[in-house]
Amino acid sequence: MLSLLPMRLLYFISDGIYGVVYYVIGYRKKVVMKNLEIAFPEKSNAERVKIAKTFYHNLLDSFIETIKLLSASRRFLEKRVTANWEVLDSLYKSGKSCQLHLGHTFNWEWGHHVLGHHTKYQVLVVYMPLSNGVLEKLMYNLRVRHGNKFIAAGNMSKSKEIFKNNRYLLGLVADQSPGNLNNAYWMNFFGRPTGFVSGPEKGARTGNLPVLFTSIVKPKRGYYHAFVEVACEDPCAMKEGELTLQYARYMEKVIRANPEMWVWSHRRWKHSWNPAYTKNWIGEGLPGSL
């Protein structure tokens, strides 16, 4: 019933929840401010607080917008999410499947629903299932209602086999914090040694799949525009780790341009550098080197 309300009323509710979450509960405020301090040491505390407040507004809007998906029509979403979808056409004509790498930027939940209607590719999205069974079932049903297929991260290789004879677009949120630090690619990210999951690059190299990078901006409340660009058409021709380094630099540029659009509440820098990871270091500035 809540999802049936017009957006102006839903955003009024979002603003009310924001007041509670930010000022009363203080949800992950220490994590958010610490992350902003790491990423933007040159900014004043007042500037970082301003970014944080806008981020929390975007976070709560995203929550409300996800609820809206329960009743949102295709026409509603098409009006509010746009992109340069034509980039996908030439890749599809090449006969190859492809990968799309994006970060934790708002609002990917609306975006993938619209994406599926603008490409001949079968859209596959890798995701982390929720621990709560009821919420997981609800979110899964919401996510697949427009024809996209969702693959649990832990079962990705096996699930992809079903689509090996189809041309697919595999969507990956590639700025996840790695679970296995020894297998991660390590590099400087906002000036700090940071581990990146190696799976997206390794998957692209195994199939020699073209890779797209995507960023999302918010022209006004409730409206989003995605920029899709071809990052690499021949990943096997690149040195190992180079594609992930390229993605990290791309995300730095995207985040600096619109910092309030990235999810600062996750602990991106929770893992410390260890010299044991030296063999997986990519790029300049290896810690401890001259």
Side-chain angles (χ1 to χ4, degrees), residues 22 32-33 36-37 40-55 259-260 264:
Y22 185 82
V32 170
M33 293 310 299
L36 286 169
E37 185 179 348
F40 302 113
E42 75 283 0
K43 293 185 182 295
S44 67
N45 187 64
E47 289 174 313
R48 292 193 287 265
V49 167
K50 183 178 180 180
I51 293 171
K53 288 182 176 180
T54 309
F55 154 69
E260 71 285 349
W264 295 99

mmCIF file of all heavy atoms in Angstrom, residues 22 32-33 36-37 40-55 259-260 264:
data_model
loop_
_atom_site.group_PDB
_atom_site.id
_atom_site.type_symbol
_atom_site.label_atom_id
_atom_site.label_comp_id
_atom_site.label_asym_id
_atom_site.label_seq_id
_atom_site.Cartn_x
_atom_site.Cartn_y
_atom_site.Cartn_z
ATOM 1 N N TYR A 22 19.670 10.099 10.802
ATOM 2 C CA TYR A 22 20.895 10.900 10.899
ATOM 3 C C TYR A 22 21.067 11.521 12.281
ATOM 4 O O TYR A 22 22.140 11.419 12.889
ATOM 5 C CB TYR A 22 20.899 11.996 9.833
ATOM 6 C CG TYR A 22 22.198 12.787 9.817
ATOM 7 C CD1 TYR A 22 23.314 12.289 9.158
ATOM 8 C CD2 TYR A 22 22.307 14.012 10.473
ATOM 9 C CE1 TYR A 22 24.514 12.996 9.152
ATOM 10 C CE2 TYR A 22 23.496 14.724 10.477
ATOM 11 C CZ TYR A 22 24.599 14.207 9.814
ATOM 12 O OH TYR A 22 25.789 14.904 9.828
ATOM 13 N N VAL A 32 30.880 6.557 8.122
ATOM 14 C CA VAL A 32 30.736 7.496 7.002
ATOM 15 C C VAL A 32 31.756 8.622 7.096
ATOM 16 O O VAL A 32 32.451 8.938 6.119
ATOM 17 C CB VAL A 32 29.305 8.075 6.959
ATOM 18 C CG1 VAL A 32 29.210 9.227 5.955
ATOM 19 C CG2 VAL A 32 28.301 6.985 6.600
ATOM 20 N N MET A 33 31.876 9.232 8.269
ATOM 21 C CA MET A 33 32.790 10.367 8.418
ATOM 22 C C MET A 33 34.249 9.927 8.311
ATOM 23 O O MET A 33 35.087 10.655 7.769
ATOM 24 C CB MET A 33 32.536 11.065 9.759
ATOM 25 C CG MET A 33 31.170 11.754 9.851
ATOM 26 S SD MET A 33 30.783 12.831 8.442
ATOM 27 C CE MET A 33 32.114 14.052 8.556
ATOM 28 N N LEU A 36 34.948 9.444 4.607
ATOM 29 C CA LEU A 36 35.068 10.738 3.940
ATOM 30 C C LEU A 36 36.389 11.422 4.283
ATOM 31 O O LEU A 36 36.995 12.102 3.450
ATOM 32 C CB LEU A 36 33.891 11.639 4.323
ATOM 33 C CG LEU A 36 32.547 11.269 3.681
ATOM 34 C CD1 LEU A 36 31.413 12.042 4.343
ATOM 35 C CD2 LEU A 36 32.578 11.550 2.182
ATOM 36 N N GLU A 37 36.853 11.228 5.499
ATOM 37 C CA GLU A 37 38.146 11.791 5.905
ATOM 38 C C GLU A 37 39.286 11.143 5.124
ATOM 39 O O GLU A 37 40.239 11.822 4.716
ATOM 40 C CB GLU A 37 38.351 11.584 7.399
ATOM 41 C CG GLU A 37 39.621 12.238 7.947
ATOM 42 C CD GLU A 37 39.784 12.024 9.440
ATOM 43 O OE1 GLU A 37 38.822 11.582 10.097
ATOM 44 O OE2 GLU A 37 40.901 12.289 9.942
ATOM 45 N N PHE A 40 38.772 12.383 1.313
ATOM 46 C CA PHE A 40 38.876 13.827 1.078
ATOM 47 C C PHE A 40 39.582 14.541 2.233
ATOM 48 O O PHE A 40 38.978 15.373 2.924
ATOM 49 C CB PHE A 40 37.486 14.429 0.880
ATOM 50 C CG PHE A 40 36.711 13.825 -0.254
ATOM 51 C CD1 PHE A 40 35.563 13.071 -0.003
ATOM 52 C CD2 PHE A 40 37.116 13.990 -1.566
ATOM 53 C CE1 PHE A 40 34.845 12.507 -1.040
ATOM 54 C CE2 PHE A 40 36.410 13.428 -2.619
ATOM 55 C CZ PHE A 40 35.271 12.686 -2.355
ATOM 56 N N PRO A 41 40.869 14.226 2.459
ATOM 57 C CA PRO A 41 41.584 14.888 3.553
ATOM 58 C C PRO A 41 41.748 16.392 3.325
ATOM 59 O O PRO A 41 41.952 17.152 4.278
ATOM 60 C CB PRO A 41 42.948 14.179 3.554
ATOM 61 C CG PRO A 41 43.111 13.677 2.158
ATOM 62 C CD PRO A 41 41.734 13.291 1.719
ATOM 63 N N GLU A 42 41.646 16.806 2.061
ATOM 64 C CA GLU A 42 41.826 18.223 1.732
ATOM 65 C C GLU A 42 40.588 19.061 2.053
ATOM 66 O O GLU A 42 40.662 20.298 2.105
ATOM 67 C CB GLU A 42 42.171 18.377 0.246
ATOM 68 C CG GLU A 42 41.029 18.195 -0.738
ATOM 69 C CD GLU A 42 40.616 16.734 -0.980
ATOM 70 O OE1 GLU A 42 41.226 15.833 -0.365
ATOM 71 O OE2 GLU A 42 39.692 16.512 -1.773
ATOM 72 N N LYS A 43 39.451 18.405 2.280
ATOM 73 C CA LYS A 43 38.224 19.137 2.561
ATOM 74 C C LYS A 43 38.099 19.435 4.054
ATOM 75 O O LYS A 43 38.632 18.701 4.895
ATOM 76 C CB LYS A 43 36.993 18.336 2.101
ATOM 77 C CG LYS A 43 36.897 18.161 0.596
ATOM 78 C CD LYS A 43 35.597 17.470 0.213
ATOM 79 C CE LYS A 43 35.503 17.244 -1.297
ATOM 80 N NZ LYS A 43 35.426 18.522 -2.035
ATOM 81 N N SER A 44 37.388 20.494 4.372
ATOM 82 C CA SER A 44 37.134 20.833 5.776
ATOM 83 C C SER A 44 36.101 19.874 6.343
ATOM 84 O O SER A 44 35.375 19.197 5.604
ATOM 85 C CB SER A 44 36.620 22.268 5.889
ATOM 86 O OG SER A 44 35.329 22.392 5.302
ATOM 87 N N ASN A 45 36.010 19.826 7.659
ATOM 88 C CA ASN A 45 35.016 18.961 8.293
ATOM 89 C C ASN A 45 33.602 19.378 7.895
ATOM 90 O O ASN A 45 32.736 18.524 7.678
ATOM 91 C CB ASN A 45 35.163 18.996 9.811
ATOM 92 C CG ASN A 45 34.258 17.983 10.502
ATOM 93 O OD1 ASN A 45 34.413 16.785 10.334
ATOM 94 N ND2 ASN A 45 33.291 18.473 11.278
ATOM 95 N N ALA A 46 33.385 20.679 7.772
ATOM 96 C CA ALA A 46 32.061 21.173 7.373
ATOM 97 C C ALA A 46 31.699 20.690 5.977
ATOM 98 O O ALA A 46 30.542 20.327 5.714
ATOM 99 C CB ALA A 46 32.033 22.697 7.422
ATOM 100 N N GLU A 47 32.674 20.657 5.078
ATOM 101 C CA GLU A 47 32.424 20.167 3.714
ATOM 102 C C GLU A 47 32.100 18.677 3.725
ATOM 103 O O GLU A 47 31.210 18.214 3.002
ATOM 104 C CB GLU A 47 33.638 20.436 2.827
ATOM 105 C CG GLU A 47 33.853 21.909 2.496
ATOM 106 C CD GLU A 47 35.143 22.146 1.733
ATOM 107 O OE1 GLU A 47 36.200 21.605 2.156
ATOM 108 O OE2 GLU A 47 35.103 22.866 0.714
ATOM 109 N N ARG A 48 32.813 17.930 4.561
ATOM 110 C CA ARG A 48 32.542 16.484 4.632
ATOM 111 C C ARG A 48 31.176 16.205 5.260
ATOM 112 O O ARG A 48 30.472 15.275 4.850
ATOM 113 C CB ARG A 48 33.662 15.780 5.408
ATOM 114 C CG ARG A 48 35.001 15.785 4.664
ATOM 115 C CD ARG A 48 35.987 14.824 5.290
ATOM 116 N NE ARG A 48 36.499 15.302 6.557
ATOM 117 C CZ ARG A 48 37.641 15.973 6.728
ATOM 118 N NH1 ARG A 48 38.405 16.249 5.672
ATOM 119 N NH2 ARG A 48 38.044 16.350 7.934
ATOM 120 N N VAL A 49 30.786 17.000 6.249
ATOM 121 C CA VAL A 49 29.466 16.841 6.861
ATOM 122 C C VAL A 49 28.372 17.114 5.834
ATOM 123 O O VAL A 49 27.353 16.411 5.779
ATOM 124 C CB VAL A 49 29.308 17.779 8.075
ATOM 125 C CG1 VAL A 49 27.845 17.855 8.522
ATOM 126 C CG2 VAL A 49 30.178 17.306 9.233
ATOM 127 N N LYS A 50 28.585 18.113 4.985
ATOM 128 C CA LYS A 50 27.605 18.443 3.940
ATOM 129 C C LYS A 50 27.425 17.262 2.979
ATOM 130 O O LYS A 50 26.309 16.909 2.608
ATOM 131 C CB LYS A 50 28.050 19.685 3.175
ATOM 132 C CG LYS A 50 27.053 20.147 2.120
ATOM 133 C CD LYS A 50 27.520 21.424 1.430
ATOM 134 C CE LYS A 50 26.510 21.861 0.371
ATOM 135 N NZ LYS A 50 26.974 23.117 -0.317
ATOM 136 N N ILE A 51 28.553 16.634 2.583
ATOM 137 C CA ILE A 51 28.486 15.455 1.714
ATOM 138 C C ILE A 51 27.746 14.327 2.420
ATOM 139 O O ILE A 51 26.900 13.656 1.829
ATOM 140 C CB ILE A 51 29.904 14.992 1.317
ATOM 141 C CG1 ILE A 51 30.581 16.038 0.424
ATOM 142 C CG2 ILE A 51 29.848 13.648 0.593
ATOM 143 C CD1 ILE A 51 32.048 15.753 0.163
ATOM 144 N N ALA A 52 28.059 14.134 3.705
ATOM 145 C CA ALA A 52 27.432 13.057 4.472
ATOM 146 C C ALA A 52 25.924 13.238 4.543
ATOM 147 O O ALA A 52 25.161 12.279 4.353
ATOM 148 C CB ALA A 52 28.027 13.008 5.876
ATOM 149 N N LYS A 53 25.465 14.451 4.802
ATOM 150 C CA LYS A 53 24.029 14.692 4.917
ATOM 151 C C LYS A 53 23.314 14.415 3.598
ATOM 152 O O LYS A 53 22.236 13.800 3.582
ATOM 153 C CB LYS A 53 23.772 16.133 5.375
ATOM 154 C CG LYS A 53 24.120 16.383 6.833
ATOM 155 C CD LYS A 53 23.797 17.819 7.233
ATOM 156 C CE LYS A 53 24.056 18.039 8.726
ATOM 157 N NZ LYS A 53 23.741 19.435 9.130
ATOM 158 N N THR A 54 23.919 14.851 2.494
ATOM 159 C CA THR A 54 23.307 14.590 1.183
ATOM 160 C C THR A 54 23.308 13.106 0.886
ATOM 161 O O THR A 54 22.354 12.561 0.316
ATOM 162 C CB THR A 54 24.040 15.354 0.079
ATOM 163 O OG1 THR A 54 24.164 16.732 0.439
ATOM 164 C CG2 THR A 54 23.293 15.273 -1.241
ATOM 165 N N PHE A 55 24.400 12.414 1.267
ATOM 166 C CA PHE A 55 24.452 10.967 1.100
ATOM 167 C C PHE A 55 23.315 10.283 1.846
ATOM 168 O O PHE A 55 22.639 9.389 1.309
ATOM 169 C CB PHE A 55 25.796 10.411 1.589
ATOM 170 C CG PHE A 55 25.722 8.978 2.034
ATOM 171 C CD1 PHE A 55 25.519 7.958 1.117
ATOM 172 C CD2 PHE A 55 25.804 8.647 3.392
ATOM 173 C CE1 PHE A 55 25.407 6.628 1.541
ATOM 174 C CE2 PHE A 55 25.699 7.329 3.809
ATOM 175 C CZ PHE A 55 25.503 6.314 2.883
ATOM 176 N N PRO A 259 30.323 12.871 -4.953
ATOM 177 C CA PRO A 259 30.593 12.056 -3.763
ATOM 178 C C PRO A 259 29.346 11.628 -3.006
ATOM 179 O O PRO A 259 29.341 10.563 -2.375
ATOM 180 C CB PRO A 259 31.480 12.964 -2.902
ATOM 181 C CG PRO A 259 31.206 14.352 -3.380
ATOM 182 C CD PRO A 259 30.932 14.210 -4.844
ATOM 183 N N GLU A 260 28.288 12.401 -3.082
ATOM 184 C CA GLU A 260 27.073 12.074 -2.333
ATOM 185 C C GLU A 260 26.326 10.875 -2.926
ATOM 186 O O GLU A 260 25.404 10.351 -2.300
ATOM 187 C CB GLU A 260 26.136 13.290 -2.305
ATOM 188 C CG GLU A 260 25.466 13.646 -3.623
ATOM 189 C CD GLU A 260 26.386 14.309 -4.640
ATOM 190 O OE1 GLU A 260 27.514 14.702 -4.257
ATOM 191 O OE2 GLU A 260 25.972 14.449 -5.804
ATOM 192 N N TRP A 264 28.787 5.498 1.340
ATOM 193 C CA TRP A 264 29.880 5.698 2.297
ATOM 194 C C TRP A 264 29.701 4.893 3.576
ATOM 195 O O TRP A 264 30.622 4.822 4.399
ATOM 196 C CB TRP A 264 29.999 7.180 2.649
ATOM 197 C CG TRP A 264 30.401 8.021 1.487
ATOM 198 C CD1 TRP A 264 29.583 8.770 0.681
ATOM 199 C CD2 TRP A 264 31.725 8.183 0.973
ATOM 200 N NE1 TRP A 264 30.321 9.383 -0.298
ATOM 201 C CE2 TRP A 264 31.640 9.052 -0.149
ATOM 202 C CE3 TRP A 264 32.982 7.689 1.339
ATOM 203 C CZ2 TRP A 264 32.743 9.422 -0.893
ATOM 204 C CZ3 TRP A 264 34.089 8.065 0.587
ATOM 205 C CH2 TRP A 264 33.972 8.914 -0.502
#
